[in-house]
Amino acid sequence: MMNINKILKTEQQWASLALRLPLGVIFTAHGAQKLFAWFGGYGLEGTGQFMASQGLEPGFLMALLAGSAEFFGGLALLIGLLVRPAALSLAFAMLVAGVVVHGSAGLFVSNGGYEFALALFSSSVALLLLGGGKLSVDNLINRRLGQA
C-alpha cells in the first residue's frame, strides 16, 4: 500500500506555483466547457458526440472522464492538493488529445495540431515530477504528517 507521504511529497521550490496557477485555470475552464457547457463549450452531449466521431467510444463516458479530469484536476492544481495524481490524470488526458484528436494535423495549433496539447502534457509531467511546491496544500499536509 502506498504511503500518503509519497503522494503528497513535493520539492521545496516555487517553480510549481508558476506552472500550477495557469494550468489550473486552463484545465478548469476546459473541463467546465466539457461538463457544463460554460465558456462557449458544448457540454457532455456535444463533447460526447465529438469524441465518438474521433473514435473515443462511448463518447458520453469519454467526455465525462476527460471533463472531470480537466475540471477537478485543474481545481486540484489551483489549490495545490493531490498535485501528483491530478498531474498524472491531466498528462494522460493530454496524451490522448494530442495523439487521437490532434495528431494527424501536425504540430501547429493554427492547423488543428497538437502543440497546445503537447505544452499542457509536458507541463503536467513537470508537476508530476516536482509536486505542488512550497505554496501548496500538499506541502502543508506533508509537513504536518512529518511532525506527527
Side-chain angles (χ1 to χ4, degrees):
M1 187 167 162
M2 182 172 277
N3 187 336
I4 190 71
N5 292 58
K6 289 182 180 180
I7 294 172
L8 299 176
K9 185 179 183 301
T10 183
E11 301 298 324
Q12 294 299 310
Q13 42 66 29
W14 295 99
S16 292
L17 184 65
L19 289 170
R20 282 188 10 243
L21 295 181
L23 283 178
V25 169
I26 291 166
F27 279 122
T28 301
H30 278 263
Q33 287 181 312
K34 289 175 181 69
L35 294 176
F36 314 120
W38 294 352
F39 312 116
Y42 298 105
L44 284 172
E45 286 296 328
T47 304
Q49 290 172 6
F50 172 75
M51 289 189 163
S53 77
Q54 299 296 302
L56 295 168
E57 292 278 359
F60 185 88
L61 178 61
M62 295 297 115
L64 181 62
L65 291 172
S68 295
E70 291 177 4
F71 184 75
F72 295 108
L75 291 177
L77 295 185
L78 284 171
I79 63 173
L81 179 63
L82 299 172
V83 169
R84 289 180 193 272
L88 178 62
S89 68
L90 293 167
F92 180 75
M94 290 303 98
L95 182 62
V96 172
V99 172
V100 175
V101 178
H102 303 286
S104 63
L107 175 65
F108 298 105
V109 74
S110 59
N111 299 326
Y114 58 85
E115 74 178 314
F116 187 56
L118 179 61
L120 294 176
F121 169 78
S122 60
S123 299
S124 297
V125 170
L127 284 174
L128 176 62
L129 298 172
L130 291 171
K134 279 187 177 186
L135 192 59
S136 68
V137 175
D138 286 352
N139 187 46
L140 179 65
I141 294 170
N142 203 26
R143 290 176 60 181
R144 292 220 173 140
L145 288 175
Q147 293 173 0

